[in-house]
Amino acid sequence: MPLSYNQMTKSSNAMARVYKTPSRRPGVPVDNQLISAKGKGEIANVKPVDLNRVIRLLEDNLTVSLKERHLFTLKKIVKTYHKGFLLKDLENIFKIIDICSERIKDHEEYTSILHNLLKICGLPFLKEKTSDEVKYRDIAKQSLSRLGYLMRVPNADIRMQICASVSSFCSSPATKPTGIGLQPLSLSSRRELLEQSGVAETLVLSLALLQDQLAVRLEMLQTLQVLSSTSGVHCKVMLKAEAAQKLCLHMNEADPSGQLLFRSSEILWNLLERGCPQELTHQLSNMDTILCLKEAFLNQLQHGYRNYDQQLRNDLLVITTLIAENPTAPLIESGFARQLVHFATFPEMKRHNPLSRNLKLTFNNEDFEMKKLLLNMVVVMSQDLSAVQLFREGKVMLALMHLIKPPDTTQTSARSWTPVQQEELQLQALATLATLAPLMLEEYMTCQANTCILMLLEWCVQQDAYFSQGHSFHGTGGRGSKKAQLRYSVRLLRSMVSLDKPVINQDLCDQGAISLLLGLLMYLGGPDDEDVVTLEIKADLQLILSALCESDLHRKELFGTEGVDMTVRFLKMNPAKFYSGMGHSKLILSTVDCVWSCIIGCFTNEDVFLEKEGVYLLFDLIHSSPLTMHGVVLGALLELCDNPKALPHMRAWRGPGGVSVPQLLLQLWRQEEEDLGVQRDQHGRITDPLKPLVHPHQEEQAQVSSPADTPSAAVVDVAENQRSKIHGFFCKLGFEDLPGLTAEDFITLSIVNRYLDFKTGEVWEEISRELALEGVRPDTPDAEALATIAQATEDTAKRVVEQQSAILQKQEAEEAQKERETYAEIKSNHRQQELTAKSWEHFVAKTSDYRILKECKKHQEKSIEASRSRTKGRDSGTIYHHTHIAGLQTTTFCGRTMAVESTPAHLTGGPLANTDLALARVPITGGALRKLPQSAPQDLEHLNAVSVQ
């Protein structure tokens, strides 16, 4: 029934009471400063909209039917908040949005209002205070999450607006309002709110509601593309909702615009870059998704001629490559792998296949990228051995042999690859062969690949007009030369000879590979190059030579003097380059391996190597190289010791500081035990006779029972460290008559001497422990034998300890004796200095005091008299002769009388002229004979004095 006038008046009065604005005193600021619809964003103190009253208006039973009033109020809200919603009002705003979304079903008039409110949601949220961003963070996250749930509204325009608002909120820059007091949220804050709200997952789940709404689906995909391109969190959330699988399954649906496939592939690409590749691969590794990818790829390959289509085709191929890395993906079962192999050999191999009959390549950049991706796909699929049969059927080996041929620089046809593209494909084909050829040996030999590679190596060292561009990844370090081709050719040969197949190795040697490789090493120069690529090539060449000559004496003879000269030159590398990080350490290791495999075992090569001081170079290398290199060098030297001519070189070697070979080996032993953690005291003696060689790691392994086909910890220890090699050296050099060893060296040598006994005891002790762990009790004779062996090992260790203690005591005694001799020498030196000082003081006293001089004279005369023999009487029968002889002069020296024949007078000019010779005196101070001046006083006592000088 229509309402009467009175009823209408009452209703109007009730509405007036509901919407009556609360009075406020003048001068009191407004709590809710809103953006006015007038003035382009200016902030004005307008009458605020009480959102709580609006909600009551929409929900109250008395006013629920007042649709026109509702629409008027909602339009007022839209005009008031047209610049963005306040953070503190979001909760009420989204309550209003939810009410409007529910009433759309019955009242279409709410659709435009809801559309406008959702459009405002795409603007940045506004904050009055800085603290509002933190205070209302949870409300903002919940509001954005509720925005995604509105996709349930069955209205295409509303759904499209939701997607547009999410995209705008995530990407639109923040514009600062011209008014005062409000600030929009920054772009980073908005993106963080979207990440935490989980709206991306909601949008992915709502894709199932859009099967019949293509336009909305495209808008949704665009939104997901924006979200996935801005944050890895969105990618993770989308993968959680299985976005990859859902997108892939519907990417081939009818779409005249072509955007469905494009946007789906872009989202997959974003998920690949910013999400979890393993999760993406897992979702796409099923038969349905692979078939969808196959259909999309073939469609783009056969019908896509635009550059846009070709790029999309390559993107799908990258995603397929990622799927091929998963061994559980049914790529072969779907038939997609066979087609990819077929396309990989096009256009090198011509076939009458419907897939390639109408396939045309324009040889542009996109086709070139597709060719490289297909070659990479072959490498990825080779991890599955079941794909090798597809490679055989597709003649992949023959196609790769066509690609590795030297590029033809004279070819200028537009229907072929450019020289730069040919070079890059050649290098990638060589890299592909390095992985594929070991799996296809029969096809490798059928195509005479060894001959092709050797010819390519010869081409690499030829001097011609070829100029490499070197732009690709594989061409790194080879720009302007053929070094990149040489690098990958050598790498391919290394992969083949490392298989140790006699057919391949013999074929290479029959074609002169050894002399060719040696020539390449001489061509590349010495070991001091600073080029990483060159060092890698040299190391690979030496490894190839080692693999070819290791077990064949004739090939070692072919290695010959030229090869020995090469190895000696590389062994003279500067040790400072080992730590350069350029690859010198790998090069020196490959050189030692070359010595071990190509020289040792051939007496002619060994003799030349010894003549060129090869043993000295190897020991110098041990002294200067890191500990990780010692194993290879010691192994080579130990085998070289089988040649008797090598032992004198080892005994004659001296390192820096005069270190001999035994001293160096004992130092290595101590360093090895220190690294292993073997228990020794401060002097290097054995501390535990029960475990003289055991280290903690070996002891831990011995606590667990190992299978019968697994070597025990004691046996593994022999191979894992260098102690066995050092023991082998001393077995060659002997344990006695070793020069230059200190007491510490002798203590270590006593352990080395008993190494084999100790190791044998360890093995038997492990046998006993294994039996105990397995609950096996040996019979009485065996138990007694095990106990006897254990006791013998312990007794041996105790004897070694006693020997070490004796060596240490002897050293202490020698040191004490040296100390006593040193002190005696010091004391003697001081005593001589004191006597010299007293003699000088006595001489000075005689010259300054006449009485002392007289006393000294008397003492001297008494001494002379006492030293004479006693004269006997004449009655004793003794005959005495006069000591004075005519013609002689007697001269007295210090109390002694000497007869000296005088010079004839006719020669001297007088009887006593020039008798200086008779009066010459030799001073005690030493030096040459000199004549004293005649005017000097004849102080005979002075001659007996000792000069302080």
Side-chain angles (χ1 to χ4, degrees), residues 379-635:
V379 175
V380 174
M381 287 193 299
S382 65
Q383 299 175 2
D384 188 356
L385 295 180
S386 58
V388 176
Q389 182 60 33
L390 297 179
F391 299 156
R392 293 192 178 99
E393 295 174 0
K395 298 182 180 180
V396 175
M397 182 66 66
L398 187 58
L400 293 175
M401 286 296 140
H402 281 288
L403 288 175
I404 68 172
K405 291 180 180 179
D408 187 3
T409 57
T410 62
Q411 185 178 1
T412 58
S413 174
R415 304 300 300 172
S416 63
W417 305 114
T418 64
V420 177
Q421 292 173 341
Q422 287 182 10
E423 175 196 353
E424 192 165 346
L425 289 177
Q426 179 193 29
L427 295 175
Q428 187 165 355
L430 286 170
T432 305
L433 279 172
T435 304
L436 203 62
L439 304 175
M440 305 175 65
L441 297 179
E442 184 178 352
E443 289 74 15
Y444 181 85
M445 297 303 297
T446 304
C447 295
Q448 297 182 352
N450 281 337
T451 305
C452 296
I453 297 170
L454 293 179
M455 292 176 63
L456 186 60
L457 290 177
E458 292 179 352
W459 173 78
C460 291
V461 297
Q462 290 177 359
Q463 302 295 330
D464 53 19
Y466 178 78
F467 185 81
S468 172
Q469 300 298 322
H471 291 302
S472 66
F473 164 77
H474 298 290
T476 303
R479 183 176 177 83
S481 65
K482 304 173 185 178
K483 191 176 293 183
Q485 285 84 353
L486 179 60
R487 176 189 187 184
Y488 282 93
S489 301
V490 172
R491 186 180 294 181
L492 173 58
L493 275 182
R494 187 196 67 186
S495 299
M496 298 310 297
V497 299
S498 62
L499 299 175
D500 197 20
K501 297 295 182 180
V503 178
I504 297 176
N505 294 354
Q506 187 61 44
D507 182 56
L508 284 171
C509 295
D510 292 343
Q511 299 186 53
I514 293 178
S515 59
L516 176 61
L517 297 178
L518 287 174
L520 285 173
L521 281 169
M522 303 302 291
Y523 169 77
L524 292 173
D528 296 328
D529 295 313
E530 297 297 335
D531 185 5
V532 177
V533 177
T534 305
L535 292 173
E536 179 186 344
I537 294 172
K538 293 175 183 177
D540 288 344
L541 287 172
Q542 290 180 343
L543 290 175
I544 294 171
L545 288 170
S546 301
L548 291 176
C549 302
E550 183 175 5
S551 58
D552 194 289
L553 181 60
H554 175 64
R555 297 174 190 171
K556 293 182 180 181
E557 293 174 350
L558 293 176
F559 187 80
T561 305
E562 183 182 3
V564 175
D565 292 337
M566 179 270 298
T567 54
V568 169
R569 183 176 61 171
F570 280 87
L571 285 175
K572 293 180 180 178
M573 182 191 302
N574 184 6
K577 294 183 177 293
F578 293 163
Y579 307 95
S580 65
M582 304 289 292
H584 293 87
S585 56
K586 296 180 181 178
L587 180 59
I588 196 64
L589 282 175
S590 62
T591 304
V592 175
D593 187 39
C594 204
V595 172
W596 201 344
S597 302
C598 303
I599 296 178
I600 297 175
C602 179
F603 291 121
T604 56
N605 291 351
E606 288 181 1
D607 292 342
V608 177
F609 185 70
L610 293 175
E611 290 176 4
K612 294 183 179 296
E613 300 181 350
V615 172
Y616 296 160
L617 294 174
L618 290 176
F619 274 110
D620 290 339
L621 181 61
I622 293 177
H623 191 273
S624 59
S625 64
L627 184 63
T628 52
M629 292 188 182
H630 292 168
V632 180
V633 185
L634 286 174

Side-chain angles (χ1 to χ4, degrees), residues 805-815:
S805 300
I807 293 171
L808 191 60
Q809 292 175 1
K810 182 179 179 181
Q811 180 196 13
E812 293 175 353
E814 290 177 355
E815 291 177 354

Side-chain angles (χ1 to χ4, degrees), residues 114-361:
L114 181 60
H115 185 277
N116 293 331
L117 290 174
L118 293 176
K119 186 176 181 180
I120 298 175
C121 290
L123 300 176
F125 295 150
L126 303 177
K127 55 183 178 180
E128 292 181 328
K129 304 176 182 177
T130 306
S131 60
D132 287 352
E133 187 173 351
V134 179
K135 183 178 180 181
Y136 299 105
R137 175 178 293 274
D138 294 337
I139 296 176
K141 289 189 296 184
Q142 294 174 5
S143 301
L144 291 174
S145 180
R146 292 164 67 181
L147 181 64
Y149 289 126
L150 290 175
M151 291 297 296
R152 69 183 183 275
V153 177
N155 187 289
D157 293 335
I158 297 299
R159 289 174 175 176
M160 293 183 66
Q161 184 57 52
I162 293 172
C163 297
S165 298
V166 173
S167 299
S168 176
F169 190 83
C170 180
S171 57
S172 63
T175 57
K176 185 176 180 181
T178 58
I180 302 174
L182 297 180
Q183 292 290 334
L185 291 182
S186 63
L187 183 60
S188 59
S189 299
R190 283 180 277 150
R191 289 180 176 178
E192 185 177 356
L193 287 175
L194 279 174
E195 291 174 357
Q196 297 175 359
S197 66
V199 67
E201 182 180 4
T202 306
L203 295 179
V204 171
L205 295 174
S206 63
L207 282 172
L209 305 175
L210 309 177
Q211 299 297 330
D212 300 329
Q213 300 177 358
L214 180 60
V216 181
R217 288 187 61 195
L218 294 178
E219 189 70 27
M220 174 71 75
L221 292 177
Q222 183 179 1
T223 303
L224 293 176
Q225 181 182 350
V226 172
L227 292 176
S228 61
S229 63
T230 56
S231 172
V233 177
H234 290 311
C235 295
K236 182 178 179 181
V237 172
M238 292 168 64
L239 286 173
K240 182 181 178 181
E242 298 183 351
Q245 183 176 358
K246 293 178 180 179
L247 293 173
C248 192
L249 290 175
H250 300 283
M251 64 169 51
N252 294 317
E253 294 180 358
D255 177 24
S257 65
Q259 293 187 28
L260 182 60
L261 178 61
F262 167 73
R263 298 205 181 276
S264 299
S265 63
E266 285 294 318
I267 296 172
L268 291 177
W269 189 267
N270 292 335
L271 295 177
L272 173 62
E273 285 186 336
R274 296 177 177 83
C276 178
Q278 293 77 14
E279 179 62 26
L280 177 67
T281 305
H282 176 72
Q283 292 185 19
L284 298 180
S285 297
N286 57 74
M287 183 65 72
D288 295 334
T289 55
I290 291 177
L291 290 175
C292 290
L293 284 172
K294 173 185 174 182
E295 180 184 352
F297 176 77
L298 292 178
N299 184 47
Q300 294 297 317
L301 179 64
Q302 294 176 346
H303 304 100
Y305 299 101
R306 298 174 299 176
N307 188 55
Y308 160 81
D309 297 328
Q310 293 174 349
Q311 289 179 352
L312 182 56
R313 172 199 64 192
N314 294 345
D315 291 344
L316 294 174
L317 191 55
V318 172
I319 297 173
T320 307
T321 305
L322 183 67
I323 298 174
E325 294 179 355
N326 185 7
T328 62
L331 199 65
I332 299 176
E333 293 80 355
S334 65
F336 197 14
R338 183 183 298 274
Q339 295 175 351
L340 292 174
V341 170
H342 173 73
F343 294 136
T345 58
F346 183 83
E348 289 78 24
M349 305 301 297
K350 304 295 183 181
R351 295 188 182 89
H352 300 287
N353 192 305
L355 290 174
S356 59
R357 184 177 303 169
N358 299 323
L359 181 60
K360 302 294 182 181
L361 291 181

